[in-house]
């Protein structure tokens, strides 16, 4: 007697592995894609988090170049390469170190298309990692997406799962404009279903991984997992939360956000970055401007404390946004 074939579970991959796969596909598809950054070649270990491991062996050190420890040199060279037809992917080891190269990013990469009247594109991707919770201290853990989203000409992307990391990074590399691709350090080794080789996620389009009717939770990166956990808990009490994963912070998908909030009449914006002057403030303002008369109450915001990221694990945990913070804000709005 034959037994029915068992359906195989989807293959699981890690977030860091998805980023590696996306770069490999982009390099295979387009010989103009090149990588540069500190210690990214295999001889130097494939990057501090091993995200580029194996790529120099496969594509050669002409296309996967380990650089000196100089963020200004890395980004400056990448901007120049982009101007002459390459599609450079520059790795800045930690997001705080982007501040060293802000002149090249803000005054050059972001503005050259505009200053040339559209004659020059800058197809540059800057990959960088950051995130609190690992005890790396205030100079290695900041989420600075609000700084960069404020700059016209830059796109800012933050994936929450391996499949999106793959699809978004590929789209970022192929985009003719400069993109900041943020990878959250604590999620590097989180697992999720592997995407198909041709999986592409368009920039500027949010997803709605959980539908609901009572309140919209608008978030990205690590905030997505936290919002899912809170939504699952509150579902047991009959509270229905819709979770929106922005995926692209700038430009953010205003249409999807407003459609969701028009349905639920309530919203909370959640991000790991400090609450003050964060991206949540901009999204909240847009919602109020468009849907003020339809809202049950003011849009809530959840973020981390307005202080540098603490080094002490206990203080860092107290400083960081949490699932309890999200739940408290939801209950305040729906009471």
């Amino acid at each position: 007697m034959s037994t029915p074939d068992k359906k195989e579970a989807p293959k699981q991959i890690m977030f860091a592995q998805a980023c590696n796969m996306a770069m490999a596909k982009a390099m295979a598809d387009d010989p103009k894609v090149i990588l540069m950054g500190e210690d990214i070649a295999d001889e130097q270990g494939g990057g501090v988090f091993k995200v580029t491991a194996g790529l120099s062996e496969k594509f050669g050190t002409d296309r996967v170049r380990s650089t000196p420890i100089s963020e200004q040199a890395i980004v400056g060279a990448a901007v120049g390469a982009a101007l002459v037809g390459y599609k450079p992917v520059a790795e800045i080891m930690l997001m705080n170190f982007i501040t060293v190269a802000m002149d090249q990013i803000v005054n050059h990469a972001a503005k050259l298309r505009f200053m040339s009247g559209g004659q020059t594109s800058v197809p540059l991707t800057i990959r960088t990692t950051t995130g609190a919770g690992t005890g790396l201290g205030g100079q290695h853990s900041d989420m600075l997406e609000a700084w960069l989203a404020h700059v016209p000409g830059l796109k800012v992307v933050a994936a929450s799962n391996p499949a999106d990391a793959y699809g978004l990074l590929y789209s970022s590399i192929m985009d003719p404009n400069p993109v900041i691709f943020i990878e959250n350090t604590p999620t590097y080794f989180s697992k999720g279903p592997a995407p198909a080789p041709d999986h592409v996620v368009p920039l500027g389009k949010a997803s709605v991984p959980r539908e609901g009717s009572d309140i919209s939770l608008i978030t990205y990166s690590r905030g997505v997992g936290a919002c899912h956990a809170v939504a699952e808990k509150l579902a047991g009490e009959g509270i229905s939360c819709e979770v929106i994963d922005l995926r692209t912070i700038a430009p953010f998908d205003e249409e999807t956000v407003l459609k969701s909030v028009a349905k639920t009449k309530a919203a909370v914006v959640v991000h790991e970055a400090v609450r003050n002057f964060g991206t949540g403030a901009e999204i909240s303002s847009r919602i109020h401007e468009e849907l003020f008369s339809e809202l049950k109450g003011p849009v809530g915001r959840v973020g981390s404390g307005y202080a540098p990221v603490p080094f002490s694990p206990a203080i860092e945990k107290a400083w960081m946004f949490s699932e309890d913070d999200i739940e408290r804000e939801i209950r305040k709005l729906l009471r």
Side-chain angles (χ1 to χ4, degrees):
M1 178 174 154
S2 62
T3 57
D5 292 335
K6 290 184 178 179
K7 190 174 182 179
E8 291 186 12
K11 180 184 176 183
Q12 299 281 302
I13 62 169
M14 294 184 294
F15 191 107
Q17 186 180 359
C19 294
N20 180 286
M21 291 165 58
M23 287 185 280
K25 175 171 171 52
M27 295 183 80
D29 288 352
D30 190 337
K32 291 294 187 181
V33 177
I34 58 173
L35 313 184
M36 57 180 70
E38 298 166 18
D39 298 333
I40 66 168
D42 290 304
E43 287 183 4
Q44 288 77 37
V48 66
F49 296 106
K50 312 299 182 188
V51 180
T52 53
L55 296 181
S56 69
E57 182 178 344
K58 184 173 183 179
F59 296 101
T61 53
D62 282 348
R63 295 183 66 193
V64 182
R65 294 194 171 222
S66 289
T67 67
I69 303 175
S70 172
E71 287 75 22
Q72 288 178 321
I74 295 167
V75 177
V79 171
L83 291 174
V84 296
Y86 287 91
K87 295 177 181 177
V89 182
E91 178 181 301
I92 301 298
M93 186 185 296
L94 292 163
M95 194 172 196
N96 288 76
F97 303 161
I98 273 182
T99 60
V100 181
M102 285 295 270
D103 178 49
Q104 287 91 340
I105 295 169
V106 174
N107 283 327
H108 299 275
K111 293 184 170 65
L112 285 169
R113 175 186 284 275
F114 299 89
M115 295 182 73
S116 68
Q119 297 178 78
T120 301
S121 61
V122 187
L124 161 66
T125 302
I126 299 176
R127 291 181 44 251
T128 190
T129 185
T130 191
T134 56
L136 293 177
Q139 295 176 330
H140 299 78
S141 309
D142 284 332
M143 293 289 291
L144 301 175
E145 64 272 18
W147 285 25
L148 297 157
H150 188 69
V151 179
L154 293 181
K155 296 184 179 182
V156 183
V157 176
S160 66
N161 60 76
D164 277 359
Y166 178 90
L168 287 166
L169 181 52
Y170 185 85
S171 292
S172 298
I173 296 169
M174 295 305 170
D175 196 282
N177 302 289
V179 180
I180 310 296
F181 190 87
I182 304 167
E183 300 162 15
N184 194 278
T185 314
T187 66
Y188 260 149
F189 305 104
S190 62
K191 290 186 175 182
D198 60 351
H199 178 65
V200 175
V201 179
L203 302 187
K205 184 62 180 174
S207 67
V208 185
R210 184 186 185 105
E211 295 188 355
S213 57
D214 293 326
I215 192 166
S216 302
L217 306 182
I218 304 154
T219 187
Y220 51 90
S221 189
R222 188 160 31 157
V224 176
C227 286
H228 270 299
V230 173
E232 190 65 29
K233 177 183 177 181
L234 295 181
E237 301 178 25
I239 298 173
S240 176
C241 299
E242 183 150 292
V243 178
I244 300 173
D245 182 352
L246 290 179
R247 302 195 290 197
T248 303
I249 299 163
F252 87 93
D253 186 353
E254 186 173 4
E255 181 181 355
T256 295
V257 169
L258 294 179
K259 181 180 178 182
S260 173
V261 180
K263 177 180 67 173
T264 64
K265 314 298 184 187
V268 176
V269 189
V270 178
H271 53 64
E272 179 182 334
V274 298
R275 182 179 184 274
N276 299 44
F277 305 98
T279 55
E282 170 65 18
I283 296 168
S284 169
S285 179
R286 296 276 192 99
I287 295 170
H288 284 123
E289 288 168 5
E290 298 296 329
L291 300 172
F292 180 77
S293 62
E294 301 178 39
L295 296 173
K296 298 173 185 175
V299 174
R301 289 188 290 141
V302 173
S304 298
Y306 194 52
V309 182
F311 175 72
S312 161
I315 303 174
E316 183 182 40
K317 184 177 180 181
W319 167 89
M320 244 184 111
F321 86 112
S322 68
E323 292 175 16
D324 288 342
D325 295 333
I326 300 168
E327 181 180 345
R328 188 161 43 247
E329 195 69 17
I330 292 169
R331 292 187 184 280
K332 183 175 77 174
L333 291 172
L334 296 182
R335 66 188 175 197

